[in-house]
Amino acid sequence: MSNRDITIQSFIDARVFSEFAWFDLLRVQKRWRRPALFAAFFVAIAAIAFSRSGSVDHAALLGGVLLAVGVGLPAVYFFAFHQSVRKQSAKLTGKEAAYTVTLDEQGVSIIKGKQNANCSWNDVHAVHRLNRCICIYVEARHAFLLPSADNSEAIRAAWELMTAHLASNQLFDHRQKGQNQNG
């Protein structure tokens, strides 16, 4: 271990997990697209049905059903996801570490109980910095979280180490309130 090694225990609470889950769903996996296309398609067909209501029997009823399905099913999808996140979040108190992350000149090491994984900087897919955590995506759909709401010295040092080893197209700072990637 060198003097630039940074070890952080990941204490994930409900707020950190919730922020990450919604971010991952909407921004990383972009799973809002299919429900949006579904809704747009059904709303367009409903509009056609409503436009024919003066000349076609029950066209308004059909339009109403199509509109309800087009808006209702995507709403149910996002509500079910919200409920799933709430259920999983309820289990996370943030009082015990989910895993330990070590960042050094070679890459990222994660230890969870007796399991351990190593990922070189070249193999890191992307890093996203949110308001409450830093998400280290070691694969396109597998991330490790470093809670960062307190913006501790270790978190700042970890971010600096990541910016030193990763290309700018792998680093994304999504924090609000005008914060930038360097701080």
Side-chain angles (χ1 to χ4, degrees), residues 20 23-25 27-30 123-126 128 135-144:
F20 164 73
F23 170 79
D24 187 61
L25 175 85
R27 300 279 299 271
V28 174
Q29 295 183 35
K30 295 180 180 13
D123 296 330
V124 171
H125 182 72
H128 295 271
C135 312
I136 303 170
Y137 281 85
V138 294
E139 296 172 2
R141 294 185 185 236
H142 188 200
F144 291 98

Side-chain angles (χ1 to χ4, degrees), residues 101-165:
V101 177
T102 301
L103 303 144
D104 59 26
E105 295 299 321
Q106 280 69 48
V108 182
S109 300
I110 298 97
I111 299 172
K112 181 177 182 177
K114 294 182 181 183
Q115 300 174 341
N116 119 26
N118 297 307
C119 184
S120 73
W121 290 117
N122 292 334
D123 296 330
V124 171
H125 182 72
V127 175
H128 295 271
R129 190 167 187 182
L130 309 178
N131 288 332
R132 290 190 171 83
C133 66
I134 296 174
C135 312
I136 303 170
Y137 281 85
V138 294
E139 296 172 2
R141 294 185 185 236
H142 188 200
F144 291 98
L145 308 180
L146 298 177
S148 65
D150 62 354
N151 202 23
S152 68
E153 185 60 37
I155 290 298
R156 284 193 294 277
W159 184 252
E160 288 174 14
L161 187 61
M162 288 182 238
T163 58
H165 288 281

